[in-house]
């Protein structure tokens, strides 16, 4: 039998200690449902320590990312307040195993969303959108995992930074995106790379959260998923994402 609580403790400890572990799926057979149960239980451990739930992240909503990581399906993860990186702030490299960064679009919700919704219904629940980045840090050795492994590990979520909020009344279906390190572009893409339109990611987030027994709440942030493949971070870098019309978001990696 798969011990959900024990495996949740394993990924939670790995994240807290910034220590790489073997893939869970090498020691046991995990179903996707069990993997989501492990994710939920591991976030439960964080909430029990006083962390606050602040939203949801979507993963592999970009084809190039799914190919980069060798997985075949969209996933979702859970965001807590301890993962927030301040725009313009500094991140502590030592807190992570092998951190990578990716440019994303963030949604701020003003109304709950659940189940099967249309893109128009999803948009009506959006208070604002912003340029954002996700700091992913798989707890698995060599950043290698199966779909079930990565789901159990909260979809590699470790940190996220959100830039200035913008009213959602702009056409954000195909905005140019540049991720740069020390002013040098390292990834160039478009918001259209997120499922053809980032709103589709929000629609998927509502559906998948409901399937997982919760709904998207007013006040929550939904990270739509990366627009490009992820880039490894290094100490001392100034990391910035600029999205056409929406503006910039940035942080520094401590030395
Ligand atoms: C998993 C997380 C994927 C995204 O934006 O596609 C993700 C990973 O790549 O480690 O966050
Ligand atoms: Mg991501």
């Amino acid at each position: 039998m798969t011990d959900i609580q024990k495996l949740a403790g394993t990924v939670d400890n790995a994240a807290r200690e910034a220590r790489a572990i073997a893939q869970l799926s090498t020691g046991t057979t995990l179903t996707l449902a069990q993997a989501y149960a492990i994710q939920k239980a591991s976030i439960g451990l964080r909430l029990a320590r006083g962390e606050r739930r602040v939203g949801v992240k979507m993963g592999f909503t970009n084809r190039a990312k799914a190919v980069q990581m060798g997985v075949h399906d969209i996933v979702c993860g859970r965001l807590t307040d301890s993962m927030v990186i301040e725009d313009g702030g500094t991140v502590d490299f030592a807190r992570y195993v092998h951190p990578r960064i990716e440019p994303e679009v963030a949604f701020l919700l003003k109304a709950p969303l659940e189940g099967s919704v249309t893109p128009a219904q999803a948009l009506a629940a959006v208070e604002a959108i912003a340029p954002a980045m996700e700091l992913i840090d798989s707890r698995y050795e060599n950043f290698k995992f199966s779909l079930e492994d990565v789901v159990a590990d909260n979809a590699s979520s470790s940190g996220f930074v959100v830039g200035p909020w913008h009213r959602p009344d702009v056409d954000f279906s195909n905005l140019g995106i540049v991720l740069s390190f020390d002013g040098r572009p390292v990834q160039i893409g478009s918001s259209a790379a997120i499922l053809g339109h980032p709103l589709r990611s929000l629609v998927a987030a509502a559906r998948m959260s409901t399937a997982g027994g919760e709904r998207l709440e007013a006040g929550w942030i939904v990270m739509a998923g990366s627009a490009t493949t992820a880039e490894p971070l290094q100490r001392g870098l100034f990391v910035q994402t600029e999205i056409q019309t929406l503006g910039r978001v940035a942080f520094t990696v401590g030395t």
Side-chain angles (χ1 to χ4, degrees), residues 99-113:
R100 296 181 181 178
I101 198 75
E102 47 193 27
E104 305 210 3
V105 173
F107 293 103
L108 176 63
L109 299 185
K110 62 181 174 190
L113 275 176

Side-chain angles (χ1 to χ4, degrees), residues 207-236:
R207 177 174 45 80
M208 292 175 74
S209 294
T210 304
E214 54 181 42
R215 64 174 191 179
L216 303 178
E217 301 289 350
W220 276 15
I221 287 171
V222 177
M223 297 285 288
S226 186
T228 68
T229 53
E231 285 288 325
L233 286 181
Q234 279 155 26
R235 289 178 193 272

Side-chain angles (χ1 to χ4, degrees), residues 57-62 65 68-69 75 102 104 134 136-138 143 145 150 155-157 224-226 230:
K57 65 152 283 181
M58 299 303 289
F60 309 125
T61 46
N62 168 353
K65 259 235 66 161
Q68 179 188 33
M69 305 317 295
V75 301
E102 47 193 27
E104 305 210 3
E134 188 183 23
I136 52 170
D137 189 35
S138 176
F143 229 110
F145 43 66
V150 69
S156 307
S157 200
S226 186

Side-chain angles (χ1 to χ4, degrees), residues 11 22 39 42 49 51 54 61 63 69 94 102 104 110-111 133 135 138 146 149 152 160 185 188 193 223 235 240 250:
V11 288
Q39 177 190 121
S42 80
R49 290 196 296 271
E51 292 184 29
V54 297
T61 46
R63 178 99 193 105
M69 305 317 295
E102 47 193 27
E104 305 210 3
K110 62 181 174 190
M133 288 184 274
L135 192 159
S138 176
S146 67
D149 285 319
F160 67 98
I188 293 174
M223 297 285 288
R235 289 178 193 272
Q240 178 175 274

Side-chain angles (χ1 to χ4, degrees), residues 1-11 24 28-42 45 152:
M1 217 188 87
T2 306
D3 188 338
I4 301 292
Q5 207 56 42
K6 178 162 168 275
L7 294 174
T10 303
V11 288
L24 302 183
T28 175
T29 0
L30 279 185
T31 65
L32 197 56
Q34 287 170 331
Y36 274 109
I38 294 166
Q39 177 190 121
K40 185 176 181 187
S42 80
L45 295 171

